[in-house]
Amino acid sequence: MHRLKAACLFTATLAPSAFAIAQTTDTATVPAIAGLPPAARTAAASIDAEKIRAHVRFLSLDLLEGRGPGTRGDKLAAEYIATQFALEGLEPAGENKSYFQQVPLIAVHTIEDKTRFSFVPSSGHSVDLTYGSQIVSKDQTGEPSADFDAPVVFVGYGIHAPEYKWNDYAGADGKDIDLHGKIALVIVNEPPSEDEKFFNAKALTYYGRWTYKYEEAARRGAVGVLIIHRTDLASYGWQVVQNSQAIEKSYLAGDPLNTLRAAAWIQHDVAQHLFTLAGLGDLDQGIERAGKPGFHPQELSVHLKAHIESRVRRYNSTNVVARVAGASAGSGNSVLYTAHYDHLGIDPDAKGDGIYNGAADNGTGCGILLELARAYAHSTQRPPHPVYLAAVTAEEQGLLGSQYLGQHPPVRAADITLDLNFDMLLPIGIPRSVTLGGAERIDFWPTVQTISKDFDLKIQPDSQPSAGHYYRSDHFSLARVGIPAFSIDPGTLFEGHDEAWGKAQFEDYVANHYHQPSDEFQESWDFRGNAKLARFGFVLGWLASAQPKSIEWHPGDEFETPRKRSETGN
């Protein structure tokens, strides 16, 4: 817990002190790199670990109440970030010549004891489902109640992927089935593959994410979706699903795809019971068949009947967006840096400490973002093209702030050559490795590899490619609109330690502090690693802006089409 008197607070965070402004301009911290001007090298070297520490310390104070979107703490954090941008002389890049971009949100909480679900077979008795242990759901529309009695259609993995010649919605006649007013029963994940040209082998594509399944069914007019949970396919247990749905969930107001009255999950044994009622036999055999060519959707002889009651509130949160002018007058080849500033707020029912301070997640990314802003603003040479920095909200609610930013970027998406994102970088020492999932998908990859080597950073592959980490952080929202994007994360190798030590540190954080009130600022934290990765990101951004043409996705990548669409305006 970090409680300070107000007078001490502002003295510590705003007034100059040896601790707060200590910095290095030793260019030895940044290697000499071809194409990087001396002024840019000096600016990158000025990035200061202790300044990052000060920002993280402030943003994770109890005063900010866990930075839950739409709360007092959220507003304090946004004002603090905007003030830092202003103090360093960055231009506002939000709405109405301000630093702020309003993000309209709808928060939905399912009232469990008033919500009912049941399977109704064409003959025989209905089967009531127990909310929480068997089914969880949210009404995406923001309406206080919903009633429906709709047929269930098994659509396999619920994927339409033309590039893989795969369409789970196509009937035996080749025509897509009509899902209007029906419930789509879908399998979590995607068809199993060892072929990199077919659903990217073992690495999860967006088609396997549960969010895609909701979106695709909504596009087809479904009233609801039941995602079948199976632990090995989801990569997490039912308890994770149950806990994540037990709390309030926010949606972007006005999103045309938020139309499902029941965006739901069902437990594996419940899905088996549904299969039995419909006469479809063994569920796991059905899942196996659905993962092979020749699968066709099937309407079941069972309806899902529901009465859903929700507690709904509408509110605004804000993205905080700033700009550093480039040497070129045009906006093309702009670079964007992102980090989310929100966290989980306060648990009013907690016994003891209920403030989710979010120091590592994502005070660290915000601290890095603010130091990048200062370094760019104070460089004696302007970057080749404009640089934008955005602290986004509602990441913990489903990447909503970055989704809104992607839909309403400060310049055309086609004019942004690269987004570099920072999220939850544990300040535990100086990294000698990084994970850069997604960077290999763009034509800037050779430069990324070279600069990583120059910074003595070994690029480590994703240790869990089937978990789909690329689709779980804010860079994904920018990739969806075509912008080449990836996150910069530390790997498991740190100076003075072997990889086993680094792995143990991350495992301990996830087990004991991730999304817990104990994710608090620690005086013992070593922010030199955060500074190193910020310098690395600075250099990558500068060189990306200096490219003779815009960075592109590799041919055939799932984000190549939205990139081309953004460039042509279609």
Side-chain angles (χ1 to χ4, degrees):
M1 307 287 280
H2 315 298
R3 294 185 177 87
L4 295 176
K5 294 181 180 178
C8 296
L9 173 68
F10 286 101
T11 299
T13 57
L14 297 182
S17 69
F19 176 82
I21 66 172
Q23 74 176 62
T24 176
T25 54
D26 180 5
T27 54
T29 59
V30 177
I33 294 169
L36 186 72
R41 185 184 182 194
T42 299
S46 76
I47 290 174
D48 181 9
E50 294 309 316
K51 283 187 169 60
I52 297 173
R53 175 194 296 273
H55 293 310
V56 175
R57 177 179 169 277
F58 179 85
L59 289 168
S60 60
L61 288 170
D62 282 1
L63 175 71
L64 275 69
E65 301 171 349
R67 307 189 303 277
T71 66
R72 173 181 174 272
D74 165 69
K75 293 179 174 61
L76 285 171
E79 289 287 356
Y80 175 82
I81 293 167
T83 298
Q84 298 303 313
F85 285 156
L87 286 172
E88 302 301 345
L90 278 75
E91 301 172 5
E95 299 164 347
N96 302 317
K97 299 182 180 179
S98 76
Y99 292 103
F100 302 113
Q101 180 185 59
Q102 295 298 312
V103 181
L105 298 166
I106 303 172
V108 177
H109 179 79
T110 304
I111 304 174
E112 297 185 13
D113 59 358
K114 294 183 179 180
T115 294
R116 302 285 183 269
F117 285 95
S118 60
F119 293 142
V120 182
S122 57
S123 62
H125 299 292
S126 63
V127 177
D128 293 336
L129 304 182
T130 303
Y131 194 91
S133 62
Q134 295 184 318
I135 186 170
V136 292
S137 182
K138 286 289 189 294
D139 184 343
Q140 296 179 333
T141 68
E143 296 296 324
S145 65
D147 290 277
F148 58 81
D149 185 347
V152 178
V153 183
F154 180 49
V155 292
Y157 286 92
I159 295 171
H160 180 209
E163 67 272 35
Y164 299 127
K165 298 180 180 179
W166 190 274
N167 186 3
D168 284 322
Y169 293 95
D173 61 358
K175 297 180 181 179
D176 283 7
I177 59 168
D178 182 9
L179 261 190
H180 284 85
K182 299 177 182 179
I183 304 295
L185 176 67
V186 305
I187 308 161
V188 69
N189 211 300
E190 61 194 8
S193 172
E194 299 288 339
D195 182 357
E196 290 188 359
K197 296 182 179 180
F198 182 69
F199 288 102
N200 207 16
K202 293 184 179 180
L204 191 74
T205 71
Y206 186 56
Y207 293 119
R209 290 285 289 150
W210 54 270
T211 48
Y212 165 80
K213 298 171 191 296
Y214 288 157
E215 292 163 358
E216 185 62 30
R219 278 189 283 267
R220 295 170 180 270
V223 70
V225 173
L226 295 175
I227 298 179
I228 301 169
H229 175 270
R230 201 174 82 178
T231 298
D232 61 324
L233 297 179
S235 78
Y236 43 80
W238 176 256
Q239 194 72 19
V240 173
V241 176
Q242 185 176 355
N243 289 343
S244 66
Q245 293 293 317
I247 59 176
E248 184 180 78
K249 172 76 173 71
S250 290
Y251 301 94
L252 276 182
D255 189 329
L257 292 181
N258 289 342
T259 60
L260 299 177
R261 305 313 302 264
W265 289 73
I266 55 172
Q267 198 262 354
H268 178 270
D269 291 346
V270 177
Q272 176 60 73
H273 195 97
L274 175 58
F275 257 50
T276 301
L277 287 173
L280 295 184
D282 184 76
L283 170 63
D284 292 326
Q285 291 179 7
I287 291 174
E288 184 177 355
R289 289 192 298 271
K292 298 177 180 178
F295 169 83
H296 298 296
Q298 182 176 357
E299 185 166 324
L300 310 187
S301 57
V302 182
H303 280 214
L304 179 70
K305 185 176 182 179
H307 171 74
I308 304 168
E309 293 196 22
S310 305
R311 187 166 58 247
V312 180
R313 66 184 179 95
R314 296 176 182 270
Y315 67 100
N316 280 358
S317 188
T318 52
N319 292 331
V320 190
V321 192
R323 177 181 185 270
V324 176
S328 170
S331 59
N333 266 35
S334 293
V335 169
L336 173 65
Y337 291 95
T338 51
H340 78 90
Y341 73 87
D342 67 293
H343 201 52
L344 302 178
I346 299 175
D347 180 357
D349 299 321
K351 296 179 180 178
D353 184 6
I355 299 177
Y356 290 78
N357 301 83
D361 183 16
N362 187 32
T364 54
C366 290
I368 288 172
L369 188 78
L370 290 171
E371 260 300 86
L372 285 166
R374 187 195 59 77
Y376 270 109
H378 290 273
S379 172
T380 57
Q381 179 177 334
R382 287 186 175 184
H385 296 92
V387 172
Y388 291 87
L389 302 104
V392 297
T393 187
E395 187 270 354
E396 305 289 5
Q397 298 291 319
L399 315 183
L400 300 183
S402 58
Q403 180 183 343
Y404 192 83
L405 180 70
Q407 294 171 353
H408 306 86
V411 291
R412 292 189 319 147
D415 290 334
I416 300 176
T417 195
L418 182 66
D419 167 59
L420 294 174
N421 185 61
F422 294 89
D423 189 358
M424 202 178 81
L425 300 93
L426 300 188
I428 55 175
I430 301 176
R432 293 192 59 200
S433 62
V434 284
T435 59
L436 306 167
E440 75 284 354
R441 301 167 65 163
I442 59 178
D443 60 15
F444 191 55
W445 177 234
T447 300
V448 173
Q449 291 175 297
T450 298
I451 304 309
S452 298
K453 185 176 181 180
D454 289 340
F455 270 86
D456 188 29
L457 290 168
K458 174 185 177 182
I459 300 176
Q460 294 180 321
D462 186 351
S463 60
Q464 292 181 293
S466 63
H469 291 132
Y470 186 82
Y471 308 99
R472 299 185 181 188
S473 199
D474 285 308
H475 61 254
F476 169 58
S477 296
L478 287 309
R480 291 187 74 175
V481 297
I483 298 170
F486 61 92
S487 287
I488 294 175
D489 296 304
T492 54
L493 183 61
F494 289 79
E495 284 190 8
H497 303 281
D498 60 14
E499 289 190 32
W501 179 88
K503 183 179 179 182
Q505 304 308 303
F506 285 103
E507 289 177 347
D508 176 75
Y509 174 80
V510 170
N512 299 307
H513 307 293
Y514 176 65
H515 284 192
Q516 299 294 327
S518 59
D519 183 5
E520 297 187 302
F521 175 81
Q522 305 295 324
E523 292 289 352
S524 61
W525 276 347
D526 183 350
F527 284 89
R528 291 178 297 166
N530 278 199
K532 179 177 180 177
L533 294 183
R535 297 180 192 118
F536 173 62
F538 182 101
V539 171
L540 286 180
W542 190 289
L543 295 179
S545 181
Q547 295 285 298
K549 67 178 185 66
S550 183
I551 294 170
E552 300 292 344
W553 298 93
H554 289 318
D557 191 273
E558 63 186 296
F559 301 116
E560 180 190 22
T561 296
R563 184 62 168 174
K564 291 185 179 301
R565 191 181 301 128
S566 74
E567 291 169 342
T568 60
N570 296 325

